[in-house]
Amino acid sequence: MFKTFSFKTKNHAELIDITGMVRTAVKDSKVNDGTCLVFVPHTTAGLTVNENADPAVKQDIVAKLEKMIEWNDPEYKHTEKNSAAHIKSSLVGFSHAFIIHNGNLQLGNWQNIYFAEFDGPRSRSVLVHIMGK
Amino acid sequence: MFKTFSFKTKNHAELIDITGMVRTAVKDSKVNDGTCLVFVPHTTAGLTVNENADPAVKQDIVAKLEKMIEWNDPEYKHTEKNSAAHIKSSLVGFSHAFIIHNGNLQLGNWQNIYFAEFDGPRSRSVLVHIMGK
Amino acid sequence: MFKTFSFKTKNHAELIDITGMVRTAVKDSKVNDGTCLVFVPHTTAGLTVNENADPAVKQDIVAKLEKMIEWNDPEYKHTEKNSAAHIKSSLVGFSHAFIIHNGNLQLGNWQNIYFAEFDGPRSRSVLVHIMGK
């Protein structure tokens, strides 16, 4: 099963919970045992998994990435001036595979899946591909 | 084949070699050609592959991550005070897929698979899922 | 289908476009719907996806990684003196899975796949594994 989800981000940099989308795709696929590949087709955004309880974790991740990879570095050569977003994308990564077992997406108790916007707000999409039986 | 491995980590931050575990799972699966997905169901740990020869490489990775993402940053808002571990988890990543060819896990000569503990010591687990034939 | 590609890198640190290689492997596999796993069997190189338009993006990624993870840090203990390359490899990552749909590798408009050399020039290889039907 292959599905594309589209949505709009609201902030310049934020982590957006897409766990529900992915769980729904897994359920709809009726795959009992297999893998679910989530892929972000953008170069200024990423995909990660992190804590779903205290929202401050998301803020701390976004803030530290901004501190490590500052937006305005005079050495950046890219004319669009958003090199920081491209670098964050390569460090955080843009795709992950997840396990489906007994029809359920296998995530740890504290794990949710996040779309990482690094140069928003923009229209974005996420591709989900499910294999198995 | 789906398998969960559980173990205890001994240090606050360390890379723990799990290559043997993964190779055993691949052998037990009797899959000749396919993929092996290794997934860490935690938000303060990660998964990586790196050099298996000089143990100083592991120390240098752990030390540099600590230097880049310091444990005590007064700007962290997360009340549990372990934001550094969450950030390292999102940067190093928490899952990887490996190739199985001719019944063997395909790794480079110098590559081993490491569970990355960033907030130990703790009880941890790793999920391994194998597909193919 | 399992295929190994070999090539020589020319610089100490660079991003090398391997999108054509991967697309050819997908085409040759005749897989219509499935996944393509690209795996770098080295510990001082990585794999990433980023912008294919302005080449300055690649330069900015390489330059910022060098600034964040400096080559000559007196605290490195690894005797080979290339710890920076090992650390970059663990941060950027060494493998990614891609979706094949309707016989085509699914990439965003601006995305190309790059082999990341962090300690060249060297002889390198990339493993490509394709599953599906």
Side-chain angles (χ1 to χ4, degrees):
Chain A
M1 203 196 73
F2 175 65
K3 206 161 181 175
T4 302
F5 293 95
S6 297
F7 50 94
K8 287 185 187 188
T9 60
K10 289 175 190 157
N11 296 296
H12 186 244
E14 58 176 329
L15 297 188
I16 296 163
D17 191 349
I18 59 168
T19 317
M21 269 184 198
V22 180
R23 282 201 195 279
T24 301
V26 168
K27 205 179 161 186
D28 291 352
S29 75
K30 301 203 195 304
V31 165
N32 200 51
D33 181 75
T35 55
C36 171
L37 180 55
V38 183
F39 187 90
V40 167
H42 307 289
T43 60
T44 54
L47 185 79
T48 194
V49 161
N50 220 300
E51 180 173 320
N52 52 23
D54 180 3
V57 171
K58 291 190 283 178
Q59 295 170 38
D60 287 347
I61 294 170
V62 168
K64 178 60 94 180
L65 283 170
E66 177 58 33
K67 212 169 155 185
M68 291 168 72
I69 304 151
E70 66 272 33
W71 193 259
N72 292 308
D73 180 332
E75 291 179 26
Y76 291 145
K77 292 182 171 61
H78 180 38
T79 49
E80 250 188 281
K81 302 288 174 200
N82 61 352
S83 282
H86 289 285
I87 296 164
K88 290 175 188 177
S89 175
S90 275
L91 286 177
V92 168
F94 53 88
S95 85
H96 280 289
F98 298 89
I99 299 166
I100 303 168
H101 183 64
N102 290 338
N104 292 311
L105 190 71
Q106 300 296 305
L107 286 175
N109 289 339
W110 304 98
Q111 289 184 316
N112 270 13
I113 308 172
Y114 294 98
F115 177 90
E117 175 60 83
F118 295 132
D119 189 24
R122 293 198 191 210
S123 293
R124 298 294 201 177
S125 57
V126 168
L127 315 183
V128 177
H129 185 270
I130 294 170
M131 281 178 92
K133 51 192 171 181
Chain B
M1 202 196 74
F2 175 65
K3 207 161 180 174
T4 301
F5 293 96
S6 296
F7 51 93
K8 286 185 187 187
T9 61
K10 289 174 189 158
N11 296 295
H12 186 244
E14 58 176 329
L15 297 188
I16 295 163
D17 190 350
I18 59 167
T19 318
M21 268 183 199
V22 180
R23 282 202 196 279
T24 301
V26 168
K27 205 180 161 188
D28 290 352
S29 75
K30 301 203 194 307
V31 165
N32 201 52
D33 181 75
T35 56
C36 172
L37 179 55
V38 183
F39 187 90
V40 167
H42 306 290
T43 59
T44 54
L47 185 79
T48 194
V49 161
N50 220 300
E51 180 174 319
N52 52 23
D54 180 1
V57 171
K58 291 189 284 177
Q59 294 170 38
D60 287 348
I61 294 170
V62 168
K64 179 58 95 182
L65 283 171
E66 178 58 34
K67 211 167 153 184
M68 291 168 72
I69 304 151
E70 67 273 33
W71 192 259
N72 291 308
D73 180 333
E75 291 180 27
Y76 291 145
K77 291 182 171 61
H78 180 37
T79 50
E80 250 187 282
K81 301 288 174 201
N82 62 351
S83 282
H86 288 285
I87 296 164
K88 290 175 188 177
S89 175
S90 275
L91 285 177
V92 168
F94 52 90
S95 86
H96 280 290
F98 298 89
I99 299 166
I100 302 169
H101 183 64
N102 290 337
N104 293 311
L105 189 73
Q106 299 297 304
L107 285 176
N109 288 338
W110 304 98
Q111 288 183 316
N112 270 13
I113 307 172
Y114 295 99
F115 177 91
E117 174 61 82
F118 295 132
D119 190 24
R122 291 198 193 211
S123 293
R124 298 294 201 176
S125 56
V126 167
L127 315 184
V128 177
H129 186 269
I130 295 170
M131 279 178 92
K133 49 191 174 181
Chain C
M1 203 195 74
F2 176 65
K3 208 162 180 174
T4 302
F5 294 95
S6 297
F7 51 93
K8 287 185 186 187
T9 60
K10 289 174 187 156
N11 296 296
H12 185 245
E14 58 177 330
L15 297 189
I16 296 164
D17 191 348
I18 60 168
T19 318
M21 271 183 196
V22 180
R23 282 202 195 278
T24 301
V26 168
K27 205 179 160 186
D28 291 352
S29 75
K30 301 202 194 307
V31 165
N32 201 52
D33 180 76
T35 56
C36 172
L37 179 56
V38 183
F39 187 91
V40 168
H42 307 289
T43 59
T44 55
L47 185 80
T48 194
V49 161
N50 220 300
E51 180 174 318
N52 52 22
D54 180 1
V57 172
K58 291 190 283 178
Q59 295 171 38
D60 287 347
I61 294 170
V62 168
K64 178 59 95 182
L65 283 171
E66 177 59 33
K67 211 168 152 185
M68 290 169 72
I69 304 151
E70 65 273 34
W71 192 260
N72 293 307
D73 180 333
E75 290 180 27
Y76 291 146
K77 292 182 169 63
H78 179 38
T79 50
E80 251 188 280
K81 301 288 174 202
N82 62 351
S83 283
H86 289 285
I87 296 163
K88 290 175 188 177
S89 175
S90 275
L91 285 178
V92 167
F94 52 90
S95 86
H96 280 290
F98 298 90
I99 299 166
I100 303 168
H101 183 64
N102 290 338
N104 293 311
L105 190 72
Q106 300 297 304
L107 285 175
N109 288 339
W110 304 98
Q111 289 184 317
N112 270 14
I113 307 172
Y114 295 99
F115 177 90
E117 175 61 84
F118 295 132
D119 189 23
R122 293 199 192 208
S123 293
R124 297 294 201 176
S125 57
V126 167
L127 315 183
V128 177
H129 186 269
I130 295 169
M131 280 178 92
K133 49 192 175 181

